[in-house]
Amino acid sequence: MYELKTKENDESVLAFIETVEKPKKREDAYRLLDIFIETTGHEAKMWGSSIIGFGSYHYKYASGHEGDAPLVGFSPRKAKISLYFSPGETRREELLKKFGKHTTGKACVYINNVEDINEEVLKELIRASINHLQSLYSNE
């Protein structure tokens, strides 16, 4: 049976951020922490060893695979900062046009610095992702 590696745990979010080598990236991580807490109303939790997640939902696919994941999150990785949003959210592309300097993957949006993005659009992306996931999956 497949075992998920990225699970919520009790590791310290602040201790993790303090391990970020580059001072600017560490500063950006603290700014994102504030934005995500303020926007989600959820406490920050570590998911796996490097993702800071907010809230959670339980998913179950038609294949029978199921698990838990954060509603939204971020990770201050070495190359770029990864922002985690719901990939199927319909307003995502429209919002990203106004977001600022970024690249995208399936579920991730990658940024170099917080100063490169529009923080109000980030808050909209967070809210839209949470609303989308909560409409798809029932929480508690």
Side-chain angles (χ1 to χ4, degrees), residues 92-133:
R92 177 177 159 154
E93 292 308 314
E94 166 197 335
L95 290 168
L96 286 175
K97 289 177 185 172
K98 303 181 279 185
F99 187 52
K101 188 177 175 183
H102 72 280
T103 56
T104 59
K106 184 176 181 182
C108 295
V109 174
Y110 305 100
I111 63 171
N112 291 320
N113 305 295
V114 172
E115 65 195 25
D116 292 341
I117 62 167
N118 181 319
E119 290 184 15
E120 292 307 311
V121 175
L122 172 60
K123 292 175 187 178
E124 281 290 313
L125 284 161
I126 292 167
R127 285 190 287 269
S129 184
I130 290 172
N131 290 339
H132 176 71
L133 288 169

Short mmCIF file of all heavy atoms in Angstrom, two decimals, residues 92-133:
data_model
loop_
_atom_site.label_atom_id
_atom_site.label_comp_id
_atom_site.label_asym_id
_atom_site.label_seq_id
_atom_site.Cartn_x
_atom_site.Cartn_y
_atom_site.Cartn_z
N ARG A 92 -8.12 30.90 -11.22
CA ARG A 92 -6.67 30.91 -11.05
C ARG A 92 -5.94 31.62 -12.20
O ARG A 92 -5.13 32.51 -11.96
CB ARG A 92 -6.16 29.48 -10.91
CG ARG A 92 -4.66 29.37 -10.80
CD ARG A 92 -4.27 27.93 -10.58
NE ARG A 92 -2.89 27.72 -10.96
CZ ARG A 92 -2.13 26.77 -10.46
NH1 ARG A 92 -2.62 25.93 -9.58
NH2 ARG A 92 -0.89 26.64 -10.84
N GLU A 93 -6.23 31.24 -13.43
CA GLU A 93 -5.53 31.84 -14.58
C GLU A 93 -5.77 33.34 -14.67
O GLU A 93 -4.85 34.10 -14.93
CB GLU A 93 -5.92 31.14 -15.88
CG GLU A 93 -5.43 29.70 -15.98
CD GLU A 93 -3.93 29.55 -15.72
OE1 GLU A 93 -3.13 30.33 -16.26
OE2 GLU A 93 -3.57 28.64 -14.94
N GLU A 94 -7.00 33.74 -14.44
CA GLU A 94 -7.35 35.17 -14.47
C GLU A 94 -6.58 35.93 -13.38
O GLU A 94 -6.02 37.00 -13.63
CB GLU A 94 -8.86 35.30 -14.25
CG GLU A 94 -9.35 36.68 -13.92
CD GLU A 94 -10.76 36.66 -13.30
OE1 GLU A 94 -11.51 35.71 -13.55
OE2 GLU A 94 -11.06 37.60 -12.56
N LEU A 95 -6.53 35.37 -12.18
CA LEU A 95 -5.82 36.02 -11.08
C LEU A 95 -4.31 36.06 -11.32
O LEU A 95 -3.65 37.06 -11.01
CB LEU A 95 -6.12 35.32 -9.76
CG LEU A 95 -7.54 35.50 -9.22
CD1 LEU A 95 -7.83 34.55 -8.08
CD2 LEU A 95 -7.76 36.95 -8.79
N LEU A 96 -3.76 35.00 -11.90
CA LEU A 96 -2.32 34.95 -12.14
C LEU A 96 -1.86 36.02 -13.14
O LEU A 96 -0.72 36.46 -13.08
CB LEU A 96 -1.89 33.56 -12.61
CG LEU A 96 -1.87 32.48 -11.52
CD1 LEU A 96 -1.55 31.13 -12.12
CD2 LEU A 96 -0.90 32.84 -10.40
N LYS A 97 -2.76 36.46 -14.01
CA LYS A 97 -2.42 37.53 -14.97
C LYS A 97 -2.09 38.83 -14.24
O LYS A 97 -1.36 39.67 -14.74
CB LYS A 97 -3.56 37.75 -15.95
CG LYS A 97 -3.72 36.63 -16.94
CD LYS A 97 -4.91 36.86 -17.86
CE LYS A 97 -5.12 35.66 -18.76
NZ LYS A 97 -6.37 35.77 -19.54
N LYS A 98 -2.64 38.99 -13.04
CA LYS A 98 -2.44 40.22 -12.25
C LYS A 98 -1.48 39.99 -11.08
O LYS A 98 -1.27 40.88 -10.27
CB LYS A 98 -3.78 40.71 -11.69
CG LYS A 98 -4.84 40.97 -12.73
CD LYS A 98 -6.12 41.48 -12.09
CE LYS A 98 -6.91 40.31 -11.55
NZ LYS A 98 -8.23 40.70 -11.01
N PHE A 99 -0.92 38.79 -10.98
CA PHE A 99 -0.16 38.37 -9.80
C PHE A 99 1.24 38.97 -9.72
O PHE A 99 1.74 39.25 -8.65
CB PHE A 99 -0.09 36.84 -9.78
CG PHE A 99 0.51 36.25 -8.55
CD1 PHE A 99 0.07 36.60 -7.29
CD2 PHE A 99 1.52 35.32 -8.64
CE1 PHE A 99 0.62 36.03 -6.14
CE2 PHE A 99 2.08 34.75 -7.52
CZ PHE A 99 1.62 35.11 -6.26
N GLY A 100 1.89 39.13 -10.86
CA GLY A 100 3.28 39.56 -10.86
C GLY A 100 4.17 38.45 -11.40
O GLY A 100 3.70 37.49 -11.99
N LYS A 101 5.46 38.60 -11.18
CA LYS A 101 6.46 37.68 -11.73
C LYS A 101 6.36 36.29 -11.09
O LYS A 101 6.54 36.15 -9.88
CB LYS A 101 7.85 38.27 -11.51
CG LYS A 101 8.96 37.53 -12.20
CD LYS A 101 10.28 38.25 -11.98
CE LYS A 101 11.41 37.46 -12.57
NZ LYS A 101 12.69 38.10 -12.29
N HIS A 102 6.08 35.27 -11.92
CA HIS A 102 5.92 33.90 -11.43
C HIS A 102 6.04 32.90 -12.58
O HIS A 102 6.00 33.29 -13.74
CB HIS A 102 4.55 33.73 -10.76
CG HIS A 102 3.43 33.73 -11.74
ND1 HIS A 102 2.92 34.90 -12.28
CD2 HIS A 102 2.75 32.72 -12.33
CE1 HIS A 102 1.96 34.59 -13.15
NE2 HIS A 102 1.83 33.28 -13.19
N THR A 103 6.17 31.65 -12.23
CA THR A 103 6.02 30.54 -13.18
C THR A 103 5.04 29.56 -12.53
O THR A 103 4.76 29.65 -11.33
CB THR A 103 7.36 29.84 -13.50
OG1 THR A 103 7.96 29.40 -12.28
CG2 THR A 103 8.31 30.79 -14.22
N THR A 104 4.52 28.62 -13.32
CA THR A 104 3.53 27.70 -12.77
C THR A 104 3.86 26.25 -13.09
O THR A 104 4.53 25.94 -14.08
CB THR A 104 2.11 27.99 -13.31
OG1 THR A 104 2.13 27.87 -14.73
CG2 THR A 104 1.63 29.37 -12.92
N GLY A 105 3.33 25.39 -12.24
CA GLY A 105 3.31 23.95 -12.45
C GLY A 105 1.86 23.54 -12.33
O GLY A 105 0.97 24.38 -12.34
N LYS A 106 1.59 22.25 -12.18
CA LYS A 106 0.19 21.79 -12.10
C LYS A 106 -0.52 22.40 -10.89
O LYS A 106 -1.58 22.99 -11.01
CB LYS A 106 0.13 20.28 -12.05
CG LYS A 106 -1.29 19.76 -12.05
CD LYS A 106 -1.35 18.26 -12.11
CE LYS A 106 -2.81 17.81 -12.12
NZ LYS A 106 -2.95 16.38 -12.12
N ALA A 107 0.02 22.20 -9.71
CA ALA A 107 -0.61 22.73 -8.50
C ALA A 107 0.19 23.86 -7.88
O ALA A 107 -0.29 24.55 -6.99
CB ALA A 107 -0.79 21.61 -7.47
N CYS A 108 1.40 24.08 -8.35
CA CYS A 108 2.29 25.07 -7.74
C CYS A 108 2.42 26.33 -8.58
O CYS A 108 2.35 26.30 -9.80
CB CYS A 108 3.69 24.50 -7.57
SG CYS A 108 3.79 23.14 -6.44
N VAL A 109 2.63 27.41 -7.86
CA VAL A 109 3.02 28.68 -8.47
C VAL A 109 4.37 28.99 -7.83
O VAL A 109 4.53 28.90 -6.62
CB VAL A 109 1.99 29.79 -8.17
CG1 VAL A 109 2.48 31.13 -8.68
CG2 VAL A 109 0.64 29.43 -8.78
N TYR A 110 5.35 29.33 -8.65
CA TYR A 110 6.70 29.58 -8.16
C TYR A 110 7.04 31.06 -8.26
O TYR A 110 6.80 31.68 -9.30
CB TYR A 110 7.72 28.78 -8.98
CG TYR A 110 7.43 27.31 -9.04
CD1 TYR A 110 6.81 26.75 -10.14
CD2 TYR A 110 7.76 26.48 -7.97
CE1 TYR A 110 6.53 25.39 -10.19
CE2 TYR A 110 7.49 25.12 -8.01
CZ TYR A 110 6.87 24.58 -9.13
OH TYR A 110 6.60 23.24 -9.16
N ILE A 111 7.59 31.60 -7.18
CA ILE A 111 8.03 33.00 -7.18
C ILE A 111 9.47 33.07 -6.67
O ILE A 111 9.93 32.17 -5.97
CB ILE A 111 7.12 33.90 -6.32
CG1 ILE A 111 7.16 33.48 -4.83
CG2 ILE A 111 5.69 33.90 -6.86
CD1 ILE A 111 6.45 34.43 -3.89
N ASN A 112 10.16 34.14 -7.04
CA ASN A 112 11.51 34.37 -6.53
C ASN A 112 11.47 35.16 -5.23
O ASN A 112 12.18 34.84 -4.28
CB ASN A 112 12.36 35.13 -7.56
CG ASN A 112 12.68 34.29 -8.77
OD1 ASN A 112 12.96 33.11 -8.65
ND2 ASN A 112 12.60 34.89 -9.94
N ASN A 113 10.65 36.21 -5.20
CA ASN A 113 10.58 37.12 -4.05
C ASN A 113 9.15 37.59 -3.85
O ASN A 113 8.42 37.77 -4.82
CB ASN A 113 11.44 38.38 -4.29
CG ASN A 113 12.86 38.07 -4.62
OD1 ASN A 113 13.58 37.54 -3.79
ND2 ASN A 113 13.26 38.39 -5.84
N VAL A 114 8.79 37.87 -2.62
CA VAL A 114 7.46 38.41 -2.33
C VAL A 114 7.30 39.79 -2.97
O VAL A 114 6.22 40.13 -3.44
CB VAL A 114 7.20 38.46 -0.81
CG1 VAL A 114 5.91 39.20 -0.49
CG2 VAL A 114 7.15 37.04 -0.24
N GLU A 115 8.37 40.55 -3.05
CA GLU A 115 8.27 41.90 -3.64
C GLU A 115 7.92 41.87 -5.13
O GLU A 115 7.50 42.87 -5.69
CB GLU A 115 9.55 42.70 -3.40
CG GLU A 115 10.76 42.12 -4.10
CD GLU A 115 12.08 42.69 -3.59
OE1 GLU A 115 12.13 43.15 -2.44
OE2 GLU A 115 13.05 42.65 -4.34
N ASP A 116 8.07 40.71 -5.78
CA ASP A 116 7.75 40.56 -7.21
C ASP A 116 6.26 40.35 -7.46
O ASP A 116 5.83 40.31 -8.62
CB ASP A 116 8.48 39.35 -7.82
CG ASP A 116 9.98 39.55 -7.90
OD1 ASP A 116 10.44 40.71 -7.84
OD2 ASP A 116 10.69 38.54 -8.04
N ILE A 117 5.47 40.16 -6.40
CA ILE A 117 4.06 39.80 -6.59
C ILE A 117 3.14 40.83 -5.95
O ILE A 117 3.54 41.62 -5.10
CB ILE A 117 3.75 38.41 -6.00
CG1 ILE A 117 3.99 38.37 -4.50
CG2 ILE A 117 4.54 37.33 -6.74
CD1 ILE A 117 3.43 37.17 -3.78
N ASN A 118 1.87 40.77 -6.35
CA ASN A 118 0.83 41.61 -5.78
C ASN A 118 0.23 40.83 -4.61
O ASN A 118 -0.41 39.80 -4.81
CB ASN A 118 -0.22 41.90 -6.86
CG ASN A 118 -1.33 42.78 -6.36
OD1 ASN A 118 -1.82 42.63 -5.24
ND2 ASN A 118 -1.75 43.70 -7.21
N GLU A 119 0.43 41.32 -3.39
CA GLU A 119 -0.03 40.61 -2.20
C GLU A 119 -1.54 40.50 -2.13
O GLU A 119 -2.07 39.51 -1.61
CB GLU A 119 0.52 41.26 -0.93
CG GLU A 119 2.01 41.07 -0.77
CD GLU A 119 2.56 41.63 0.54
OE1 GLU A 119 1.75 41.92 1.47
OE2 GLU A 119 3.78 41.78 0.64
N GLU A 120 -2.26 41.48 -2.66
CA GLU A 120 -3.73 41.40 -2.67
C GLU A 120 -4.20 40.28 -3.59
O GLU A 120 -5.17 39.58 -3.28
CB GLU A 120 -4.35 42.75 -3.05
CG GLU A 120 -4.15 43.82 -2.00
CD GLU A 120 -4.60 43.40 -0.60
OE1 GLU A 120 -5.74 42.89 -0.46
OE2 GLU A 120 -3.83 43.57 0.36
N VAL A 121 -3.53 40.10 -4.71
CA VAL A 121 -3.87 39.00 -5.62
C VAL A 121 -3.52 37.67 -4.96
O VAL A 121 -4.27 36.69 -5.10
CB VAL A 121 -3.19 39.17 -6.99
CG1 VAL A 121 -3.46 37.96 -7.89
CG2 VAL A 121 -3.66 40.45 -7.68
N LEU A 122 -2.42 37.62 -4.22
CA LEU A 122 -2.07 36.40 -3.48
C LEU A 122 -3.21 36.03 -2.53
O LEU A 122 -3.62 34.86 -2.46
CB LEU A 122 -0.77 36.58 -2.70
CG LEU A 122 -0.40 35.44 -1.74
CD1 LEU A 122 -0.25 34.12 -2.47
CD2 LEU A 122 0.87 35.79 -0.98
N LYS A 123 -3.74 36.99 -1.82
CA LYS A 123 -4.85 36.73 -0.90
C LYS A 123 -6.07 36.21 -1.64
O LYS A 123 -6.76 35.31 -1.16
CB LYS A 123 -5.19 38.00 -0.11
CG LYS A 123 -4.09 38.41 0.87
CD LYS A 123 -4.41 39.73 1.53
CE LYS A 123 -3.24 40.21 2.37
NZ LYS A 123 -3.51 41.51 2.99
N GLU A 124 -6.33 36.75 -2.82
CA GLU A 124 -7.44 36.27 -3.65
C GLU A 124 -7.20 34.82 -4.09
O GLU A 124 -8.13 34.01 -4.09
CB GLU A 124 -7.62 37.16 -4.88
CG GLU A 124 -8.33 38.45 -4.61
CD GLU A 124 -9.80 38.23 -4.31
OE1 GLU A 124 -10.48 37.48 -5.05
OE2 GLU A 124 -10.27 38.79 -3.31
N LEU A 125 -5.98 34.51 -4.49
CA LEU A 125 -5.64 33.14 -4.89
C LEU A 125 -5.85 32.17 -3.72
O LEU A 125 -6.36 31.07 -3.90
CB LEU A 125 -4.20 33.06 -5.38
CG LEU A 125 -3.93 33.60 -6.78
CD1 LEU A 125 -2.45 33.90 -6.98
CD2 LEU A 125 -4.43 32.62 -7.83
N ILE A 126 -5.44 32.59 -2.54
CA ILE A 126 -5.61 31.76 -1.34
C ILE A 126 -7.09 31.50 -1.08
O ILE A 126 -7.53 30.36 -0.91
CB ILE A 126 -4.95 32.42 -0.11
CG1 ILE A 126 -3.42 32.43 -0.27
CG2 ILE A 126 -5.36 31.71 1.18
CD1 ILE A 126 -2.69 33.33 0.73
N ARG A 127 -7.88 32.58 -1.07
CA ARG A 127 -9.32 32.43 -0.79
C ARG A 127 -10.01 31.59 -1.87
O ARG A 127 -10.83 30.73 -1.55
CB ARG A 127 -9.98 33.81 -0.69
CG ARG A 127 -9.66 34.54 0.62
CD ARG A 127 -10.52 35.78 0.79
NE ARG A 127 -10.13 36.86 -0.09
CZ ARG A 127 -9.23 37.81 0.23
NH1 ARG A 127 -8.65 37.80 1.41
NH2 ARG A 127 -8.94 38.76 -0.62
N ALA A 128 -9.68 31.83 -3.13
CA ALA A 128 -10.31 31.08 -4.23
C ALA A 128 -9.97 29.59 -4.14
O ALA A 128 -10.83 28.73 -4.35
CB ALA A 128 -9.86 31.65 -5.58
N SER A 129 -8.73 29.27 -3.80
CA SER A 129 -8.31 27.88 -3.69
C SER A 129 -9.06 27.18 -2.55
O SER A 129 -9.56 26.06 -2.71
CB SER A 129 -6.80 27.81 -3.46
OG SER A 129 -6.36 26.48 -3.43
N ILE A 130 -9.14 27.84 -1.40
CA ILE A 130 -9.84 27.25 -0.26
C ILE A 130 -11.32 27.04 -0.58
O ILE A 130 -11.88 25.97 -0.32
CB ILE A 130 -9.66 28.13 1.00
CG1 ILE A 130 -8.21 28.05 1.48
CG2 ILE A 130 -10.63 27.71 2.11
CD1 ILE A 130 -7.86 29.01 2.59
N ASN A 131 -11.95 28.04 -1.16
CA ASN A 131 -13.37 27.91 -1.52
C ASN A 131 -13.59 26.76 -2.48
O ASN A 131 -14.54 25.99 -2.35
CB ASN A 131 -13.90 29.22 -2.10
CG ASN A 131 -14.00 30.32 -1.06
OD1 ASN A 131 -14.05 30.06 0.13
ND2 ASN A 131 -14.02 31.56 -1.53
N HIS A 132 -12.70 26.63 -3.46
CA HIS A 132 -12.81 25.56 -4.44
C HIS A 132 -12.70 24.19 -3.77
O HIS A 132 -13.52 23.30 -4.00
CB HIS A 132 -11.73 25.73 -5.52
CG HIS A 132 -11.70 24.62 -6.52
ND1 HIS A 132 -12.68 24.46 -7.46
CD2 HIS A 132 -10.83 23.63 -6.71
CE1 HIS A 132 -12.41 23.40 -8.19
NE2 HIS A 132 -11.28 22.87 -7.77
N LEU A 133 -11.68 24.01 -2.95
CA LEU A 133 -11.48 22.72 -2.29
C LEU A 133 -12.62 22.40 -1.33
O LEU A 133 -13.06 21.25 -1.24
CB LEU A 133 -10.14 22.68 -1.56
CG LEU A 133 -8.93 22.60 -2.48
CD1 LEU A 133 -7.65 22.85 -1.71
CD2 LEU A 133 -8.89 21.25 -3.21
#
